[in-house]
Amino acid sequence: MSDKHLQQSAAACWADCKQAYAELMANPHLSGGRKLALHYFGVAMVLFMAQLLFGLLAGLQFIFPSFLYEILDFNVNRMVHINAMVVWMLYGFMGSVYWFLEDESGVEIVGLKWGQLAFWVLTGAVAVVVLVYLLIQIGSGSDTSLWLINEGREYIEAPRWADIGIVAVMLVFFYNVAATFAAGQWSGIAGVLTLDLVALAGLYLAGMFYVTNISVDQYWWWWVIHLWVEATWEVLVGCIMAWSLMKLLGVRRQVVQTWLYIEVALMFGSGILGLGHHYFWIGTPEYWFTIGGFFSALEPIPLVAMVVHSVYDAGVHRFKNSNHPALAWVIAHAFGNFLGAGVWGFMHTLPQINLYTHGTQWSASHGHLAFFGAYATINIAFFYLAAQQARGNVWMGGGLADGWRWKAALALLNIGVMGMTVALLIAGYEQSFIERAVEGSTWAGYFAAQNHPWFIQAMVWRMLFGLVTLTGGGLLFWDLLTIGRGEQRLAPIISEA
């Protein structure tokens, strides 16, 4: 196919997506809360594509280090790649809650105008921060640059004004949720979600002060990275998963809420102590070796068990699913969460192993599979659930028009991420052996490992599978906006058993 034909196809696809989005927003049957959720979903998908694009640029610079040197350096590409990931997932979670909030509470969202204002403030702030990332990253650090340009901390590089903005938006979000449930009906999901949002706003404060002692600073930094992302997000995903399974499979509320309570109990019992596996090499006491190593692997268990139990429960009651894409992504979540966050994480969490793997591509291997399996998959599943309901609860099962798109996107994204994961694991193994075991963590060992043929070949394979992932992401974007258009068959209404 010629470049001209590719451009014409891309333009036609983009026009089709814009028209489909306009049709969804014009739906008179959508409530204000669900229209706000669609805004969140739209920005989430744009940021997801940005994450993939900047990840490819960073991956290309591993193979060609001089590529875009002093124009768009590796540290900037990596920074945008990681922060886009964090923010698009947060957008997806918030949109999902706004989508089911009225259904779960039985009343209209309280303070919706504040929620709408918070969305535009957050989106404007994200746009400004990204532009600053791309345009202003050269010069010495100072108190001014900390507040206005870059805080200089990996994964949470956002300037201080943006940190304050994130907490303010989370507080508005908390008000919308808590006030709505207070005005309507409470449930187990409502209680867990409301309490979790207190932590979602509060734990981010741990990253908003700077300590000159590097061990103390890293200690609090990990509270944001681990407890904000891995703990509060896990519980938030549990709430979203619980509601989704009731709507997708008609699972009994008792089943999903039981596992949700176990999730909260494990988060307090193991999640906080499991944080200790990040303390191994930052100067904290040695007892964290035992505590952190033991408690780190338990977090994914309740979510996986919730899905397995729900599928079994639906089978016993002979419920039929009318949204095959959403169910497929829920199953992908159960598999990916267990494999990425559980198996792949525990594989290098014990301190005796982590001594050799820490800071290598082994960590990146775990990170790619864990974030995709634990968070991206459930967001995508909910996007499909919302798309079905926004189209008027149409049938989205077998025989769906253009059904090849969601199947291809599912296959390409999972194959792409798994391929990158294995490629990074090979690179990490090579680094652990040469850089750590043989050379003893010296600079010479670092550069020897970076230039080894195994490492370079792994980076090439990571790049190829990254292209597969990007293709799947583009298909997913297109399919989410257009799936169900023109479908006349209605799905049966599934009620809670």
Side-chain angles (χ1 to χ4, degrees), residues 431-449:
Q431 284 180 295
S432 299
F433 181 70
I434 294 178
E435 178 185 331
R436 302 290 168 82
V438 175
E439 298 285 348
S441 297
T442 60
W443 274 114
Y446 172 79
F447 287 111

Side-chain angles (χ1 to χ4, degrees), residues 92-106:
F93 298 149
M94 294 174 72
S96 299
V97 172
Y98 277 123
W99 187 270
F100 74 69
L101 184 54
E102 291 167 320
D103 182 273
E104 185 69 13
S105 66

Side-chain angles (χ1 to χ4, degrees), residues 7-81:
Q7 291 172 1
Q8 289 174 344
S9 299
C13 178
W14 178 243
D16 192 32
C17 289
K18 287 197 296 183
Q19 182 182 352
Y21 186 72
E23 290 172 3
L24 286 173
M25 293 305 298
N27 187 340
H29 302 295
L30 285 181
S31 65
R34 290 195 165 181
K35 286 186 176 180
L36 177 58
L38 288 179
H39 284 313
Y40 272 102
F41 295 156
V43 176
M45 285 305 300
V46 170
L47 289 171
F48 180 35
M49 295 306 296
Q51 178 205 349
L52 297 180
L53 285 170
F54 280 94
L56 278 175
L57 287 175
L60 197 59
Q61 287 170 326
F62 266 100
I63 305 170
F64 305 105
S66 61
F67 178 66
L68 294 181
Y69 179 62
E70 293 189 337
I71 299 173
L72 200 57
D73 290 339
F74 172 79
N75 66 307
V76 177
N77 284 324
R78 181 177 181 271
M79 185 166 57
V80 177
H81 171 62

Side-chain angles (χ1 to χ4, degrees), residues 347-348 357 360-366 424-425 428-429 431-432:
M347 183 164 65
H348 77 127
T357 63
T360 68
Q361 295 297 330
W362 201 307
S363 299
S365 173
H366 159 57
L424 289 167
L425 182 66
Y429 175 83
Q431 284 180 295
S432 299

Side-chain angles (χ1 to χ4, degrees), residues 153-175:
R153 294 165 127 185
E154 194 176 24
Y155 305 143
I156 50 173
E157 289 96 344
R160 184 60 49 80
W161 70 266
D163 283 346
I164 296 171
I166 288 172
V167 173
V169 169
M170 290 301 105
L171 289 174
V172 172
F173 183 46
F174 168 76
Y175 167 72

Side-chain angles (χ1 to χ4, degrees), residues 303-492:
L303 288 177
V304 176
M306 185 191 294
V307 175
V308 173
H309 194 163
S310 296
V311 172
Y312 170 78
D313 190 65
V316 168
H317 292 87
R318 297 183 180 177
F319 292 128
K320 293 184 178 179
N321 172 254
S322 61
N323 192 327
H324 291 184
L327 182 61
W329 278 104
V330 164
I331 293 171
H333 166 81
F335 178 77
N337 193 17
F338 177 74
L339 186 63
V343 175
W344 234 259
F346 190 69
M347 183 164 65
H348 77 127
T349 296
L350 294 176
Q352 294 87 346
I353 302 171
N354 195 256
L355 176 67
Y356 297 95
T357 63
H358 187 84
T360 68
Q361 295 297 330
W362 201 307
S363 299
S365 173
H366 159 57
H368 278 73
L369 188 56
F371 270 99
F372 180 77
Y375 301 125
T377 48
I378 186 58
N379 263 341
I380 296 169
F382 200 96
F383 293 169
Y384 274 110
L385 179 61
Q388 180 184 37
Q389 295 180 346
R391 294 283 181 198
N393 198 38
V394 297
W395 178 263
M396 284 172 54
L400 183 71
D402 294 322
W404 65 270
R405 281 202 296 258
W406 75 261
K407 296 172 187 175
L410 176 73
L412 289 172
L413 280 167
N414 281 280
I415 290 171
V417 171
M418 198 67 217
M420 287 192 293
T421 298
V422 173
L424 289 167
L425 182 66
I426 293 170
Y429 175 83
E430 181 271 333
Q431 284 180 295
S432 299
F433 181 70
I434 294 178
E435 178 185 331
R436 302 290 168 82
V438 175
E439 298 285 348
S441 297
T442 60
W443 274 114
Y446 172 79
F447 287 111
Q450 291 284 111
N451 290 289
H452 194 277
W454 278 21
F455 184 89
I456 296 171
Q457 289 171 17
M459 291 299 106
V460 172
W461 279 107
R462 191 266 297 269
M463 190 70 199
L464 293 174
F465 280 108
L467 290 170
V468 173
T469 307
L470 179 64
T471 305
L475 267 178
L476 176 71
F477 200 152
W478 183 18
D479 189 57
L480 281 170
L481 285 172
T482 57
I483 192 169
R485 290 171 74 188
E487 179 62 58
Q488 299 300 318
R489 293 173 293 174
L490 292 179

Side-chain angles (χ1 to χ4, degrees), residues 8 60 88-89 93 119 135 162 164 213 256-257 285 429 440 480:
Q8 289 174 344
L60 197 59
W88 91 256
M89 290 179 181
F93 298 149
F119 166 79
L135 301 176
I164 296 171
N213 184 303
V256 294
Q257 287 189 166
Y429 175 83
L480 281 170

